[in-house]
Amino acid sequence: MTDTYARTTTNAWRNWAGTVTARPARTESPASVDELVDVVRRAHADGLTVKPVGTGHSFTATAATEGVLIRPDLLTGIRDIDRTTMTVTVEAGTPLKRLNTALAREGLSLTNMGDIMEQTIAGATSTGTHGTGRDSASISAQIRALELVTADGTVLVCSAEENPEIFAAARIGLGALGVITAVTLSVEPVFLLTAREEPMTFDRVTADFDQLVAENEHFEFYWFPHTGNCNTKRNNRSAGPAAPPSRVSSWIDDELLSNGIFQVACSVGRAIPPAIPSIAKLSSRALSARTYTDIPYKVFTSPRRVKFVEMEYAVPREQAVAALRELKAMVERSPLKISFPVEVRTAPADDMALSTASGRDSAYIAVHLYKGTPHRSYFTAVERIMTAHSGRPHWGKIHTRDAAYLAEVYPRFGEFTAVRDRLDPDRMFGNDYLRRVLGD
């Protein structure tokens, strides 16, 4: 145990966007499940709370603590690949980037994923990270089993067959039930996706939204506020051959335009807000169509180097267009100047207690602002629209909802809190954020 204690520090922690800072009593980096159990038991003996943290890509204070902050940096790597059951068991601290590349080397892939892969697998699944899909759901929905260290130091294995009531809650557990040490995910042989990116007007996208979702395995679009322009993306499985973007084309689209020039545009917009509508019109008109074919993680994900703050709500899919049109009307009649596109994605209903798609087909509407831009007025106005449509806020993104509201929009909310009461009655894994969203 000496090695574990040698890795104990007391440094402050800050999330990726700089919206949350915490100064834990100590920070631990256990290198094994046994070491983690010891860390939890010592924290309990010292009367300290415990919070695991990933790479800090959550915009909320989900991982903030004044007690013991657990970094999973040494709990990484693939434990096992089972080609009979087509599952992979991976340590909780493994970044999605490493997991995706390792699976690709083995000729395997996740079925669906989000558009960022900097997060750890436990951090991504605990907050409900998702991509877009007609039939395939979030990363959490692909979990077949997980390993969890509870408040008394017990190591539980949870699946549909073993501790099923905990499994239904812990796949999106917000760090409230214990510390996840490993997850077992379903995988499939690596496949090809053809991505078709195409500019489209807002009116056409919203008029054809249901058809676009129904006809494509993965459909999403971005609307540029202050314009009537969108950029759509349709990803569908392909027989090949692979036809990835050229290195030059990829650099121009993903680095120069999406990061470099966009960074400059956001900086100018923050300094001179009245220029934002003109910049948005110019940017949206500069979009061009492109088609390419590659393995999944190279199609689903892209680098995000421009820092921002974000709010995202899941609404019933049949209400998505109405909510989006209300959002557009609100922006047009307000003095707000919005430099970031609005992102729209979908997901099928799933069976996880705190999934934003729990029990209903869902559409996600995400709004962003450049880091350092005052966001309260915009996000408050957006939240008012989304809650009028029974919206469920993304657990890792900015929102103001509390347990009373969330209990109304999650039919299985009480099921989750009952599991929490059983596993962590003293709220060893609690913090201010969880008190607000789950109650106490």
PDB file of all heavy atoms in Angstrom, residues 3-28:
ATOM      1  N   ASP A   3       2.933   2.330  -2.133  1.00  0.00           N
ATOM      2  CA  ASP A   3       2.909   2.981  -3.427  1.00  0.00           C
ATOM      3  C   ASP A   3       1.650   3.825  -3.604  1.00  0.00           C
ATOM      4  O   ASP A   3       1.680   4.922  -4.158  1.00  0.00           O
ATOM      5  CB  ASP A   3       2.984   1.931  -4.542  1.00  0.00           C
ATOM      6  CG  ASP A   3       4.345   1.283  -4.618  1.00  0.00           C
ATOM      7  OD1 ASP A   3       5.308   1.863  -4.081  1.00  0.00           O
ATOM      8  OD2 ASP A   3       4.437   0.199  -5.206  1.00  0.00           O
ATOM      9  N   THR A   4       0.524   3.313  -3.120  1.00  0.00           N
ATOM     10  CA  THR A   4      -0.715   4.069  -3.237  1.00  0.00           C
ATOM     11  C   THR A   4      -0.616   5.378  -2.485  1.00  0.00           C
ATOM     12  O   THR A   4      -0.957   6.440  -2.983  1.00  0.00           O
ATOM     13  CB  THR A   4      -1.901   3.249  -2.693  1.00  0.00           C
ATOM     14  OG1 THR A   4      -2.022   2.051  -3.431  1.00  0.00           O
ATOM     15  CG2 THR A   4      -3.198   4.042  -2.799  1.00  0.00           C
ATOM     16  N   TYR A   5      -0.152   5.332  -1.268  1.00  0.00           N
ATOM     17  CA  TYR A   5      -0.072   6.541  -0.462  1.00  0.00           C
ATOM     18  C   TYR A   5       0.916   7.522  -1.059  1.00  0.00           C
ATOM     19  O   TYR A   5       0.743   8.731  -0.960  1.00  0.00           O
ATOM     20  CB  TYR A   5       0.318   6.208   0.978  1.00  0.00           C
ATOM     21  CG  TYR A   5      -0.636   5.237   1.639  1.00  0.00           C
ATOM     22  CD1 TYR A   5      -0.229   4.379   2.645  1.00  0.00           C
ATOM     23  CD2 TYR A   5      -1.971   5.157   1.228  1.00  0.00           C
ATOM     24  CE1 TYR A   5      -1.100   3.493   3.245  1.00  0.00           C
ATOM     25  CE2 TYR A   5      -2.853   4.266   1.814  1.00  0.00           C
ATOM     26  CZ  TYR A   5      -2.415   3.438   2.821  1.00  0.00           C
ATOM     27  OH  TYR A   5      -3.280   2.554   3.397  1.00  0.00           O
ATOM     28  N   ALA A   6       1.950   7.025  -1.733  1.00  0.00           N
ATOM     29  CA  ALA A   6       2.928   7.912  -2.363  1.00  0.00           C
ATOM     30  C   ALA A   6       2.300   8.693  -3.505  1.00  0.00           C
ATOM     31  O   ALA A   6       2.806   9.744  -3.887  1.00  0.00           O
ATOM     32  CB  ALA A   6       4.126   7.112  -2.878  1.00  0.00           C
ATOM     33  N   ARG A   7       1.186   8.189  -4.024  1.00  0.00           N
ATOM     34  CA  ARG A   7       0.513   8.888  -5.117  1.00  0.00           C
ATOM     35  C   ARG A   7      -0.613   9.787  -4.614  1.00  0.00           C
ATOM     36  O   ARG A   7      -1.438  10.254  -5.372  1.00  0.00           O
ATOM     37  CB  ARG A   7      -0.036   7.869  -6.129  1.00  0.00           C
ATOM     38  CG  ARG A   7       1.059   7.155  -6.927  1.00  0.00           C
ATOM     39  CD  ARG A   7       0.454   6.323  -8.043  1.00  0.00           C
ATOM     40  NE  ARG A   7      -0.285   5.191  -7.538  1.00  0.00           N
ATOM     41  CZ  ARG A   7       0.261   3.996  -7.299  1.00  0.00           C
ATOM     42  NH1 ARG A   7       1.543   3.811  -7.495  1.00  0.00           N
ATOM     43  NH2 ARG A   7      -0.475   3.004  -6.848  1.00  0.00           N
ATOM     44  N   THR A   8      -0.647  10.007  -3.299  1.00  0.00           N
ATOM     45  CA  THR A   8      -1.650  10.890  -2.722  1.00  0.00           C
ATOM     46  C   THR A   8      -1.201  12.335  -2.840  1.00  0.00           C
ATOM     47  O   THR A   8      -0.083  12.678  -2.482  1.00  0.00           O
ATOM     48  CB  THR A   8      -1.874  10.549  -1.234  1.00  0.00           C
ATOM     49  OG1 THR A   8      -2.309   9.197  -1.117  1.00  0.00           O
ATOM     50  CG2 THR A   8      -2.931  11.456  -0.622  1.00  0.00           C
ATOM     51  N   THR A   9      -2.069  13.206  -3.358  1.00  0.00           N
ATOM     52  CA  THR A   9      -1.746  14.617  -3.486  1.00  0.00           C
ATOM     53  C   THR A   9      -2.901  15.458  -2.950  1.00  0.00           C
ATOM     54  O   THR A   9      -3.961  14.948  -2.618  1.00  0.00           O
ATOM     55  CB  THR A   9      -1.501  15.003  -4.962  1.00  0.00           C
ATOM     56  OG1 THR A   9      -2.717  14.863  -5.683  1.00  0.00           O
ATOM     57  CG2 THR A   9      -0.426  14.124  -5.586  1.00  0.00           C
ATOM     58  N   THR A  10      -2.706  16.762  -2.856  1.00  0.00           N
ATOM     59  CA  THR A  10      -3.747  17.671  -2.376  1.00  0.00           C
ATOM     60  C   THR A  10      -3.960  18.821  -3.354  1.00  0.00           C
ATOM     61  O   THR A  10      -4.366  19.906  -2.962  1.00  0.00           O
ATOM     62  CB  THR A  10      -3.374  18.235  -0.987  1.00  0.00           C
ATOM     63  OG1 THR A  10      -2.089  18.866  -1.072  1.00  0.00           O
ATOM     64  CG2 THR A  10      -3.327  17.128   0.055  1.00  0.00           C
ATOM     65  N   ASN A  11      -3.670  18.614  -4.638  1.00  0.00           N
ATOM     66  CA  ASN A  11      -3.807  19.679  -5.622  1.00  0.00           C
ATOM     67  C   ASN A  11      -5.272  19.981  -5.929  1.00  0.00           C
ATOM     68  O   ASN A  11      -6.138  19.115  -5.849  1.00  0.00           O
ATOM     69  CB  ASN A  11      -3.099  19.293  -6.928  1.00  0.00           C
ATOM     70  CG  ASN A  11      -1.594  19.156  -6.729  1.00  0.00           C
ATOM     71  OD1 ASN A  11      -1.019  19.814  -5.876  1.00  0.00           O
ATOM     72  ND2 ASN A  11      -0.976  18.300  -7.524  1.00  0.00           N
ATOM     73  N   ALA A  12      -5.538  21.231  -6.320  1.00  0.00           N
ATOM     74  CA  ALA A  12      -6.883  21.606  -6.750  1.00  0.00           C
ATOM     75  C   ALA A  12      -7.207  20.920  -8.077  1.00  0.00           C
ATOM     76  O   ALA A  12      -6.316  20.588  -8.856  1.00  0.00           O
ATOM     77  CB  ALA A  12      -6.974  23.119  -6.895  1.00  0.00           C
ATOM     78  N   TRP A  13      -8.493  20.717  -8.291  1.00  0.00           N
ATOM     79  CA  TRP A  13      -8.957  20.086  -9.533  1.00  0.00           C
ATOM     80  C   TRP A  13      -9.856  21.061 -10.270  1.00  0.00           C
ATOM     81  O   TRP A  13     -10.657  21.775  -9.665  1.00  0.00           O
ATOM     82  CB  TRP A  13      -9.727  18.808  -9.221  1.00  0.00           C
ATOM     83  CG  TRP A  13     -10.388  18.198 -10.424  1.00  0.00           C
ATOM     84  CD1 TRP A  13      -9.812  17.398 -11.369  1.00  0.00           C
ATOM     85  CD2 TRP A  13     -11.760  18.350 -10.816  1.00  0.00           C
ATOM     86  NE1 TRP A  13     -10.743  17.047 -12.325  1.00  0.00           N
ATOM     87  CE2 TRP A  13     -11.948  17.623 -12.010  1.00  0.00           C
ATOM     88  CE3 TRP A  13     -12.843  19.048 -10.275  1.00  0.00           C
ATOM     89  CZ2 TRP A  13     -13.172  17.553 -12.664  1.00  0.00           C
ATOM     90  CZ3 TRP A  13     -14.074  18.989 -10.926  1.00  0.00           C
ATOM     91  CH2 TRP A  13     -14.223  18.248 -12.110  1.00  0.00           C
ATOM     92  N   ARG A  14      -9.748  21.105 -11.599  1.00  0.00           N
ATOM     93  CA  ARG A  14     -10.567  21.972 -12.437  1.00  0.00           C
ATOM     94  C   ARG A  14     -11.047  21.168 -13.641  1.00  0.00           C
ATOM     95  O   ARG A  14     -10.300  20.361 -14.197  1.00  0.00           O
ATOM     96  CB  ARG A  14      -9.730  23.171 -12.902  1.00  0.00           C
ATOM     97  CG  ARG A  14     -10.500  24.175 -13.780  1.00  0.00           C
ATOM     98  CD  ARG A  14      -9.572  25.271 -14.259  1.00  0.00           C
ATOM     99  NE  ARG A  14      -9.025  26.037 -13.171  1.00  0.00           N
ATOM    100  CZ  ARG A  14      -9.589  27.136 -12.652  1.00  0.00           C
ATOM    101  NH1 ARG A  14     -10.715  27.583 -13.165  1.00  0.00           N
ATOM    102  NH2 ARG A  14      -9.035  27.771 -11.666  1.00  0.00           N
ATOM    103  N   ASN A  15     -12.297  21.387 -14.036  1.00  0.00           N
ATOM    104  CA  ASN A  15     -12.799  20.651 -15.193  1.00  0.00           C
ATOM    105  C   ASN A  15     -12.313  21.287 -16.498  1.00  0.00           C
ATOM    106  O   ASN A  15     -11.712  22.362 -16.505  1.00  0.00           O
ATOM    107  CB  ASN A  15     -14.330  20.532 -15.155  1.00  0.00           C
ATOM    108  CG  ASN A  15     -15.044  21.859 -15.368  1.00  0.00           C
ATOM    109  OD1 ASN A  15     -14.459  22.930 -15.246  1.00  0.00           O
ATOM    110  ND2 ASN A  15     -16.329  21.790 -15.683  1.00  0.00           N
ATOM    111  N   TRP A  16     -12.597  20.605 -17.619  1.00  0.00           N
ATOM    112  CA  TRP A  16     -12.079  20.996 -18.935  1.00  0.00           C
ATOM    113  C   TRP A  16     -12.474  22.415 -19.306  1.00  0.00           C
ATOM    114  O   TRP A  16     -11.676  23.187 -19.821  1.00  0.00           O
ATOM    115  CB  TRP A  16     -12.607  20.001 -19.972  1.00  0.00           C
ATOM    116  CG  TRP A  16     -12.279  20.309 -21.397  1.00  0.00           C
ATOM    117  CD1 TRP A  16     -11.073  20.101 -22.027  1.00  0.00           C
ATOM    118  CD2 TRP A  16     -13.154  20.851 -22.395  1.00  0.00           C
ATOM    119  NE1 TRP A  16     -11.156  20.484 -23.344  1.00  0.00           N
ATOM    120  CE2 TRP A  16     -12.425  20.952 -23.603  1.00  0.00           C
ATOM    121  CE3 TRP A  16     -14.497  21.251 -22.382  1.00  0.00           C
ATOM    122  CZ2 TRP A  16     -12.983  21.435 -24.779  1.00  0.00           C
ATOM    123  CZ3 TRP A  16     -15.063  21.734 -23.556  1.00  0.00           C
ATOM    124  CH2 TRP A  16     -14.302  21.831 -24.733  1.00  0.00           C
ATOM    125  N   ALA A  17     -13.727  22.777 -19.046  1.00  0.00           N
ATOM    126  CA  ALA A  17     -14.227  24.083 -19.457  1.00  0.00           C
ATOM    127  C   ALA A  17     -13.906  25.188 -18.460  1.00  0.00           C
ATOM    128  O   ALA A  17     -14.161  26.359 -18.732  1.00  0.00           O
ATOM    129  CB  ALA A  17     -15.739  24.015 -19.662  1.00  0.00           C
ATOM    130  N   GLY A  18     -13.362  24.820 -17.290  1.00  0.00           N
ATOM    131  CA  GLY A  18     -13.058  25.815 -16.280  1.00  0.00           C
ATOM    132  C   GLY A  18     -14.277  26.309 -15.527  1.00  0.00           C
ATOM    133  O   GLY A  18     -14.217  27.330 -14.834  1.00  0.00           O
ATOM    134  N   THR A  19     -15.403  25.576 -15.618  1.00  0.00           N
ATOM    135  CA  THR A  19     -16.622  25.998 -14.933  1.00  0.00           C
ATOM    136  C   THR A  19     -16.713  25.493 -13.502  1.00  0.00           C
ATOM    137  O   THR A  19     -17.538  25.976 -12.729  1.00  0.00           O
ATOM    138  CB  THR A  19     -17.868  25.508 -15.699  1.00  0.00           C
ATOM    139  OG1 THR A  19     -17.779  24.079 -15.870  1.00  0.00           O
ATOM    140  CG2 THR A  19     -17.956  26.170 -17.071  1.00  0.00           C
ATOM    141  N   VAL A  20     -15.890  24.511 -13.148  1.00  0.00           N
ATOM    142  CA  VAL A  20     -15.932  23.918 -11.807  1.00  0.00           C
ATOM    143  C   VAL A  20     -14.506  23.768 -11.280  1.00  0.00           C
ATOM    144  O   VAL A  20     -13.620  23.275 -11.984  1.00  0.00           O
ATOM    145  CB  VAL A  20     -16.612  22.526 -11.820  1.00  0.00           C
ATOM    146  CG1 VAL A  20     -16.635  21.931 -10.409  1.00  0.00           C
ATOM    147  CG2 VAL A  20     -18.022  22.623 -12.383  1.00  0.00           C
ATOM    148  N   THR A  21     -14.308  24.197 -10.052  1.00  0.00           N
ATOM    149  CA  THR A  21     -13.025  24.007  -9.369  1.00  0.00           C
ATOM    150  C   THR A  21     -13.301  23.381  -8.012  1.00  0.00           C
ATOM    151  O   THR A  21     -14.278  23.734  -7.347  1.00  0.00           O
ATOM    152  CB  THR A  21     -12.285  25.344  -9.176  1.00  0.00           C
ATOM    153  OG1 THR A  21     -12.085  25.965 -10.445  1.00  0.00           O
ATOM    154  CG2 THR A  21     -10.920  25.127  -8.527  1.00  0.00           C
ATOM    155  N   ALA A  22     -12.463  22.446  -7.615  1.00  0.00           N
ATOM    156  CA  ALA A  22     -12.600  21.814  -6.305  1.00  0.00           C
ATOM    157  C   ALA A  22     -11.218  21.672  -5.670  1.00  0.00           C
ATOM    158  O   ALA A  22     -10.216  21.524  -6.378  1.00  0.00           O
ATOM    159  CB  ALA A  22     -13.262  20.445  -6.439  1.00  0.00           C
ATOM    160  N   ARG A  23     -11.190  21.724  -4.358  1.00  0.00           N
ATOM    161  CA  ARG A  23      -9.939  21.514  -3.640  1.00  0.00           C
ATOM    162  C   ARG A  23     -10.150  20.373  -2.643  1.00  0.00           C
ATOM    163  O   ARG A  23     -10.528  20.587  -1.493  1.00  0.00           O
ATOM    164  CB  ARG A  23      -9.495  22.787  -2.926  1.00  0.00           C
ATOM    165  CG  ARG A  23      -8.081  22.681  -2.339  1.00  0.00           C
ATOM    166  CD  ARG A  23      -7.584  24.021  -1.843  1.00  0.00           C
ATOM    167  NE  ARG A  23      -7.340  24.958  -2.923  1.00  0.00           N
ATOM    168  CZ  ARG A  23      -6.230  24.968  -3.660  1.00  0.00           C
ATOM    169  NH1 ARG A  23      -5.271  24.054  -3.428  1.00  0.00           N
ATOM    170  NH2 ARG A  23      -6.072  25.848  -4.622  1.00  0.00           N
ATOM    171  N   PRO A  24      -9.937  19.148  -3.108  1.00  0.00           N
ATOM    172  CA  PRO A  24     -10.151  17.993  -2.238  1.00  0.00           C
ATOM    173  C   PRO A  24      -9.125  17.923  -1.114  1.00  0.00           C
ATOM    174  O   PRO A  24      -8.018  18.461  -1.229  1.00  0.00           O
ATOM    175  CB  PRO A  24      -9.993  16.808  -3.198  1.00  0.00           C
ATOM    176  CG  PRO A  24      -9.128  17.317  -4.300  1.00  0.00           C
ATOM    177  CD  PRO A  24      -9.473  18.766  -4.450  1.00  0.00           C
ATOM    178  N   ALA A  25      -9.516  17.261  -0.046  1.00  0.00           N
ATOM    179  CA  ALA A  25      -8.586  17.060   1.067  1.00  0.00           C
ATOM    180  C   ALA A  25      -7.375  16.256   0.611  1.00  0.00           C
ATOM    181  O   ALA A  25      -6.245  16.511   1.034  1.00  0.00           O
ATOM    182  CB  ALA A  25      -9.296  16.352   2.213  1.00  0.00           C
ATOM    183  N   ARG A  26      -7.623  15.299  -0.272  1.00  0.00           N
ATOM    184  CA  ARG A  26      -6.519  14.550  -0.886  1.00  0.00           C
ATOM    185  C   ARG A  26      -7.005  13.925  -2.181  1.00  0.00           C
ATOM    186  O   ARG A  26      -8.198  13.714  -2.376  1.00  0.00           O
ATOM    187  CB  ARG A  26      -5.943  13.496   0.063  1.00  0.00           C
ATOM    188  CG  ARG A  26      -6.910  12.432   0.546  1.00  0.00           C
ATOM    189  CD  ARG A  26      -6.184  11.422   1.443  1.00  0.00           C
ATOM    190  NE  ARG A  26      -7.041  10.344   1.890  1.00  0.00           N
ATOM    191  CZ  ARG A  26      -7.533  10.225   3.121  1.00  0.00           C
ATOM    192  NH1 ARG A  26      -7.261  11.142   4.024  1.00  0.00           N
ATOM    193  NH2 ARG A  26      -8.297   9.183   3.449  1.00  0.00           N
ATOM    194  N   THR A  27      -6.061  13.667  -3.058  1.00  0.00           N
ATOM    195  CA  THR A  27      -6.338  13.030  -4.345  1.00  0.00           C
ATOM    196  C   THR A  27      -5.571  11.724  -4.403  1.00  0.00           C
ATOM    197  O   THR A  27      -4.375  11.689  -4.102  1.00  0.00           O
ATOM    198  CB  THR A  27      -5.907  13.938  -5.509  1.00  0.00           C
ATOM    199  OG1 THR A  27      -6.640  15.159  -5.441  1.00  0.00           O
ATOM    200  CG2 THR A  27      -6.176  13.271  -6.845  1.00  0.00           C
ATOM    201  N   GLU A  28      -6.255  10.661  -4.770  1.00  0.00           N
ATOM    202  CA  GLU A  28      -5.648   9.328  -4.801  1.00  0.00           C
ATOM    203  C   GLU A  28      -5.678   8.771  -6.217  1.00  0.00           C
ATOM    204  O   GLU A  28      -6.623   9.005  -6.966  1.00  0.00           O
ATOM    205  CB  GLU A  28      -6.404   8.376  -3.871  1.00  0.00           C
ATOM    206  CG  GLU A  28      -6.560   8.855  -2.441  1.00  0.00           C
ATOM    207  CD  GLU A  28      -5.465   8.342  -1.521  1.00  0.00           C
ATOM    208  OE1 GLU A  28      -4.454   7.823  -2.052  1.00  0.00           O
ATOM    209  OE2 GLU A  28      -5.621   8.435  -0.292  1.00  0.00           O
TER     210      GLU A  28
END
